Amino acid sequence: MEPAQTENPQPLPYQEMTSPDYARVAAGDFRAGRPMAGVVELKGVCPRCRAVMVVTLIDSGFKTALPHQGGAAQPEGPTGRRIEPIMCTCAEEHPHRPDDRFGCGAYWNFELR
Ligand SMILES: [Zn+2]
Ligand SMILES: [Zn+2]
């Protein structure tokens, strides 16, 4: 009997890197959790190391910058979307990771809507 090893046998080394694929994969995979005061929690699978991770985004400046309502047309951003830089924060072991870092080093931009 010769069991085929299909799982990756060695841990992914820590490396700070990004790829357009990360943003695309994460956009379809990450879900925003229950909204809490000033905080948005995103949960998903890291597009690089495939570990489940949770990212907490501080919601400052997102909904609070409207001193008055109605009247004049609001200045709209080019897209009206908000881009947040996300970094992998998994708890897995990744070789060569500095002690003060988390995750596998992957980072990408997440579009919050
Ligand atoms: Zn990762
Ligand atoms: Zn990881």
Side-chain angles (χ1 to χ4, degrees):
M1 296 211 294
E2 294 177 19
Q5 286 283 349
T6 52
E7 299 175 28
N8 47 339
Q10 52 202 4
L12 210 59
Y14 178 90
Q15 185 181 358
E16 291 186 9
M17 58 177 291
T18 190
S19 156
D21 284 346
Y22 292 174
R24 195 173 65 235
V25 170
D29 184 59
F30 275 69
R31 295 278 180 273
R34 284 168 295 178
M36 292 169 283
V39 171
V40 177
E41 212 176 55
L42 296 175
K43 185 177 182 182
V45 176
C46 172
R48 179 170 183 243
C49 72
R50 313 301 303 172
V52 175
M53 53 175 274
V54 175
V55 185
T56 302
L57 301 177
I58 307 299
D59 207 9
S60 62
F62 192 28
K63 296 174 181 172
T64 59
L66 284 176
H68 54 82
Q69 298 181 349
Q74 292 181 21
E76 291 184 48
T79 62
R81 292 174 293 189
R82 178 187 177 199
I83 305 296
E84 283 287 341
I86 304 287
M87 194 164 193
C88 176
T89 58
C90 79
E92 292 185 340
E93 283 201 26
H94 291 290
H96 314 303
R97 180 173 59 196
D99 286 342
D100 59 345
R101 299 299 179 93
F102 299 94
C104 68
Y107 61 92
W108 61 94
N109 285 325
F110 184 81
E111 185 182 302
L112 200 66
R113 281 177 288 180

